[in-house]
Amino acid sequence: MKKRIEAIYERLPSSMQHVAVSAYGYRRRNQRLGGRFAHYRRGFVEREGSTHEEWRTWQEHRLREMLHLAAETPFYREAFRDVGLSAEALDRFELKDLQSIPLLSKEDVRRDPTALCPGGSPGAGRPYSTSGSTGSPLMLYHSNDDVRRWYAMVEARYESFVGVTYRDPRATFSGRHIGAGLDSRGPFHRYNLAERQLYFSPYHLGPATAATYVEALQKHRPVWMTGYAGAIHELARLALQQGLACPPLKAVITSAEPVTPRVRADVQEAFGCRVTEEYGLIEGVCCALECEHGSRHISPDAGIVEILDGSGRPCPPGEVGEIVATGLVHESQIYLRYRTGDLASWADRECACGRAMPVLGEVEGRVNDVVVCPDGRRVGRLTSVARELPGIGAMQFVQDRPDRVIARVVAEGILEPDVSVEIERRLADRLGAGIQIDVEQADSLERTERGKVRSVINTVEQGI
């Protein structure tokens, strides 16, 4: 059904696609901001001023609730039995006991995602398929209530840290296709009237199209912009290069990609506001947001975050380790001590803003290159190419020549020819003509020195 709806949408003229996007926006707005959203938001706002001890007390209470939910899942019922955790022990559980719970890997989630759901069934949880930052698909389940709690947390932090909310008009760059082919003459956005959201395509942005993006900003006047740092920076860079006057924004909030000093400087100059970097995962186990002093604060009511070394021991401040998170928001699928695969460190001092929230140092787990197309477009975040393809374990994209991209695929068995053809088609749809696409099956993917799989590797040009 979903694919049929998408196929119908693709055939609509752009004017009707605006209408379709707005209709979807009304549904999504209710899913995110309806029901008990306002109630949840008040709780997140009230907790923000908590002291360290108050946060600890709140986290322990909420953790016990999550543990009892976990005990109803097939996965944790067995895991708790293996480590001798009884129902009575869960009632007395403290934060210091967290290391008695085994780590949860992405492979555990992939193997049987419903085993993490209370009762072994997603119930009201809706399925969300994601490729993840490594290109390895995961099936997630979030109920409307889960989604509302999460967005209540995010909006409470956005308003406190940056001064914007989802009620303000915004522009968005992300990996979702807007429905325009690469040979399209525009427009390269779709407008979601329900949420006053300008949805930009990152795949069409380049020297020849930058002016149309700026025109859309001038027409719709968003208050803030969110999405991929690479795409937002590319628009800022091209606007400055071509002398295009961008309307000022109140905030730019980036995610999924690292923010360099060059990105911050160009965005500040082009849009007249600072860049706020956000760290989070679609699994909904943790969230960090930069405050006005530039510190990345973990939201303690989103999740309990540990940073562990290769032996599973907590890292001291300044030492890089893996982020392991226990989600405290989503109840349809339980994640305890989830290995995110992302690398970071704790800051070695508290922030001058006065918030008693843990502060992350550098987040090193999302260093992705971009593919540079012959027409000047710079395309990153290609992990969505793997979404919903059967038999795909992980995927990595390597540009080793200006005119070639290699898709390295780790498959569950033999890579089927029709899947290989579909990968080629999806890449061609995003990258356009002039780039040779080769699909290769691999036993494993190249990793960084710290063990992170980068989704895009460009050996021709290492970014800007």
PDB file of all heavy atoms in Angstrom, residues 414-428:
ATOM      1  N   ILE A 414      23.671 -14.326  -0.884  1.00  0.00           N
ATOM      2  CA  ILE A 414      24.062 -13.808  -2.198  1.00  0.00           C
ATOM      3  C   ILE A 414      23.228 -12.567  -2.528  1.00  0.00           C
ATOM      4  O   ILE A 414      22.006 -12.572  -2.342  1.00  0.00           O
ATOM      5  CB  ILE A 414      23.864 -14.878  -3.296  1.00  0.00           C
ATOM      6  CG1 ILE A 414      24.700 -16.118  -2.965  1.00  0.00           C
ATOM      7  CG2 ILE A 414      24.243 -14.321  -4.660  1.00  0.00           C
ATOM      8  CD1 ILE A 414      26.198 -15.854  -2.911  1.00  0.00           C
ATOM      9  N   LEU A 415      23.880 -11.527  -2.993  1.00  0.00           N
ATOM     10  CA  LEU A 415      23.168 -10.313  -3.402  1.00  0.00           C
ATOM     11  C   LEU A 415      22.383 -10.608  -4.671  1.00  0.00           C
ATOM     12  O   LEU A 415      22.958 -10.925  -5.719  1.00  0.00           O
ATOM     13  CB  LEU A 415      24.165  -9.184  -3.640  1.00  0.00           C
ATOM     14  CG  LEU A 415      23.578  -7.840  -4.084  1.00  0.00           C
ATOM     15  CD1 LEU A 415      22.669  -7.274  -3.012  1.00  0.00           C
ATOM     16  CD2 LEU A 415      24.699  -6.857  -4.416  1.00  0.00           C
ATOM     17  N   GLU A 416      21.070 -10.513  -4.583  1.00  0.00           N
ATOM     18  CA  GLU A 416      20.211 -10.836  -5.721  1.00  0.00           C
ATOM     19  C   GLU A 416      20.362  -9.791  -6.835  1.00  0.00           C
ATOM     20  O   GLU A 416      20.472  -8.589  -6.556  1.00  0.00           O
ATOM     21  CB  GLU A 416      18.747 -10.902  -5.283  1.00  0.00           C
ATOM     22  CG  GLU A 416      18.450 -12.003  -4.275  1.00  0.00           C
ATOM     23  CD  GLU A 416      18.672 -13.391  -4.857  1.00  0.00           C
ATOM     24  OE1 GLU A 416      18.561 -13.536  -6.105  1.00  0.00           O
ATOM     25  OE2 GLU A 416      18.967 -14.319  -4.095  1.00  0.00           O
ATOM     26  N   PRO A 417      20.358 -10.236  -8.095  1.00  0.00           N
ATOM     27  CA  PRO A 417      20.533  -9.304  -9.215  1.00  0.00           C
ATOM     28  C   PRO A 417      19.511  -8.172  -9.237  1.00  0.00           C
ATOM     29  O   PRO A 417      19.851  -7.025  -9.542  1.00  0.00           O
ATOM     30  CB  PRO A 417      20.389 -10.206 -10.450  1.00  0.00           C
ATOM     31  CG  PRO A 417      20.790 -11.568  -9.964  1.00  0.00           C
ATOM     32  CD  PRO A 417      20.306 -11.640  -8.546  1.00  0.00           C
ATOM     33  N   ASP A 418      18.237  -8.487  -8.913  1.00  0.00           N
ATOM     34  CA  ASP A 418      17.220  -7.434  -8.961  1.00  0.00           C
ATOM     35  C   ASP A 418      17.437  -6.384  -7.870  1.00  0.00           C
ATOM     36  O   ASP A 418      17.124  -5.204  -8.047  1.00  0.00           O
ATOM     37  CB  ASP A 418      15.815  -8.030  -8.862  1.00  0.00           C
ATOM     38  CG  ASP A 418      15.604  -8.836  -7.600  1.00  0.00           C
ATOM     39  OD1 ASP A 418      16.591  -9.354  -7.048  1.00  0.00           O
ATOM     40  OD2 ASP A 418      14.441  -8.951  -7.144  1.00  0.00           O
ATOM     41  N   VAL A 419      18.001  -6.818  -6.721  1.00  0.00           N
ATOM     42  CA  VAL A 419      18.325  -5.860  -5.663  1.00  0.00           C
ATOM     43  C   VAL A 419      19.476  -4.968  -6.099  1.00  0.00           C
ATOM     44  O   VAL A 419      19.466  -3.746  -5.875  1.00  0.00           O
ATOM     45  CB  VAL A 419      18.667  -6.595  -4.345  1.00  0.00           C
ATOM     46  CG1 VAL A 419      19.136  -5.604  -3.277  1.00  0.00           C
ATOM     47  CG2 VAL A 419      17.461  -7.371  -3.847  1.00  0.00           C
ATOM     48  N   SER A 420      20.474  -5.567  -6.749  1.00  0.00           N
ATOM     49  CA  SER A 420      21.607  -4.795  -7.263  1.00  0.00           C
ATOM     50  C   SER A 420      21.139  -3.750  -8.276  1.00  0.00           C
ATOM     51  O   SER A 420      21.581  -2.592  -8.249  1.00  0.00           O
ATOM     52  CB  SER A 420      22.627  -5.738  -7.904  1.00  0.00           C
ATOM     53  OG  SER A 420      23.739  -5.034  -8.393  1.00  0.00           O
ATOM     54  N   VAL A 421      20.228  -4.150  -9.156  1.00  0.00           N
ATOM     55  CA  VAL A 421      19.685  -3.221 -10.158  1.00  0.00           C
ATOM     56  C   VAL A 421      18.929  -2.085  -9.475  1.00  0.00           C
ATOM     57  O   VAL A 421      19.031  -0.917  -9.877  1.00  0.00           O
ATOM     58  CB  VAL A 421      18.768  -3.965 -11.148  1.00  0.00           C
ATOM     59  CG1 VAL A 421      17.995  -2.980 -12.027  1.00  0.00           C
ATOM     60  CG2 VAL A 421      19.588  -4.912 -12.016  1.00  0.00           C
ATOM     61  N   GLU A 422      18.177  -2.408  -8.416  1.00  0.00           N
ATOM     62  CA  GLU A 422      17.420  -1.376  -7.700  1.00  0.00           C
ATOM     63  C   GLU A 422      18.353  -0.398  -6.999  1.00  0.00           C
ATOM     64  O   GLU A 422      18.077   0.811  -6.947  1.00  0.00           O
ATOM     65  CB  GLU A 422      16.475  -2.032  -6.685  1.00  0.00           C
ATOM     66  CG  GLU A 422      15.655  -1.059  -5.846  1.00  0.00           C
ATOM     67  CD  GLU A 422      14.703  -0.192  -6.651  1.00  0.00           C
ATOM     68  OE1 GLU A 422      14.475  -0.479  -7.850  1.00  0.00           O
ATOM     69  OE2 GLU A 422      14.177   0.786  -6.081  1.00  0.00           O
ATOM     70  N   ILE A 423      19.472  -0.895  -6.457  1.00  0.00           N
ATOM     71  CA  ILE A 423      20.461  -0.008  -5.845  1.00  0.00           C
ATOM     72  C   ILE A 423      21.010   0.956  -6.887  1.00  0.00           C
ATOM     73  O   ILE A 423      21.131   2.171  -6.644  1.00  0.00           O
ATOM     74  CB  ILE A 423      21.599  -0.828  -5.201  1.00  0.00           C
ATOM     75  CG1 ILE A 423      21.079  -1.593  -3.983  1.00  0.00           C
ATOM     76  CG2 ILE A 423      22.757   0.085  -4.787  1.00  0.00           C
ATOM     77  CD1 ILE A 423      22.066  -2.595  -3.425  1.00  0.00           C
ATOM     78  N   GLU A 424      21.347   0.430  -8.059  1.00  0.00           N
ATOM     79  CA  GLU A 424      21.844   1.283  -9.145  1.00  0.00           C
ATOM     80  C   GLU A 424      20.812   2.342  -9.524  1.00  0.00           C
ATOM     81  O   GLU A 424      21.147   3.510  -9.727  1.00  0.00           O
ATOM     82  CB  GLU A 424      22.175   0.438 -10.374  1.00  0.00           C
ATOM     83  CG  GLU A 424      23.380  -0.477 -10.210  1.00  0.00           C
ATOM     84  CD  GLU A 424      23.696  -1.247 -11.481  1.00  0.00           C
ATOM     85  OE1 GLU A 424      23.354  -0.736 -12.572  1.00  0.00           O
ATOM     86  OE2 GLU A 424      24.246  -2.343 -11.368  1.00  0.00           O
ATOM     87  N   ARG A 425      19.547   1.915  -9.604  1.00  0.00           N
ATOM     88  CA  ARG A 425      18.488   2.860  -9.992  1.00  0.00           C
ATOM     89  C   ARG A 425      18.336   3.972  -8.965  1.00  0.00           C
ATOM     90  O   ARG A 425      18.225   5.155  -9.324  1.00  0.00           O
ATOM     91  CB  ARG A 425      17.157   2.115 -10.147  1.00  0.00           C
ATOM     92  CG  ARG A 425      16.029   2.980 -10.728  1.00  0.00           C
ATOM     93  CD  ARG A 425      14.670   2.361 -10.511  1.00  0.00           C
ATOM     94  NE  ARG A 425      14.295   2.350  -9.105  1.00  0.00           N
ATOM     95  CZ  ARG A 425      13.854   3.411  -8.448  1.00  0.00           C
ATOM     96  NH1 ARG A 425      13.750   4.595  -9.060  1.00  0.00           N
ATOM     97  NH2 ARG A 425      13.521   3.322  -7.170  1.00  0.00           N
ATOM     98  N   ARG A 426      18.332   3.595  -7.682  1.00  0.00           N
ATOM     99  CA  ARG A 426      18.158   4.597  -6.629  1.00  0.00           C
ATOM    100  C   ARG A 426      19.324   5.574  -6.594  1.00  0.00           C
ATOM    101  O   ARG A 426      19.131   6.783  -6.387  1.00  0.00           O
ATOM    102  CB  ARG A 426      17.995   3.905  -5.277  1.00  0.00           C
ATOM    103  CG  ARG A 426      16.696   3.117  -5.144  1.00  0.00           C
ATOM    104  CD  ARG A 426      16.534   2.548  -3.732  1.00  0.00           C
ATOM    105  NE  ARG A 426      15.322   1.751  -3.611  1.00  0.00           N
ATOM    106  CZ  ARG A 426      14.875   1.259  -2.453  1.00  0.00           C
ATOM    107  NH1 ARG A 426      15.552   1.475  -1.327  1.00  0.00           N
ATOM    108  NH2 ARG A 426      13.757   0.549  -2.412  1.00  0.00           N
ATOM    109  N   LEU A 427      20.530   5.055  -6.766  1.00  0.00           N
ATOM    110  CA  LEU A 427      21.690   5.943  -6.781  1.00  0.00           C
ATOM    111  C   LEU A 427      21.662   6.872  -7.985  1.00  0.00           C
ATOM    112  O   LEU A 427      21.951   8.072  -7.874  1.00  0.00           O
ATOM    113  CB  LEU A 427      22.972   5.117  -6.775  1.00  0.00           C
ATOM    114  CG  LEU A 427      23.443   4.602  -5.412  1.00  0.00           C
ATOM    115  CD1 LEU A 427      24.636   3.684  -5.575  1.00  0.00           C
ATOM    116  CD2 LEU A 427      23.774   5.753  -4.490  1.00  0.00           C
ATOM    117  N   ALA A 428      21.314   6.332  -9.146  1.00  0.00           N
ATOM    118  CA  ALA A 428      21.231   7.160 -10.348  1.00  0.00           C
ATOM    119  C   ALA A 428      20.175   8.245 -10.181  1.00  0.00           C
ATOM    120  O   ALA A 428      20.345   9.383 -10.645  1.00  0.00           O
ATOM    121  CB  ALA A 428      20.917   6.291 -11.562  1.00  0.00           C
TER     122      ALA A 428
END
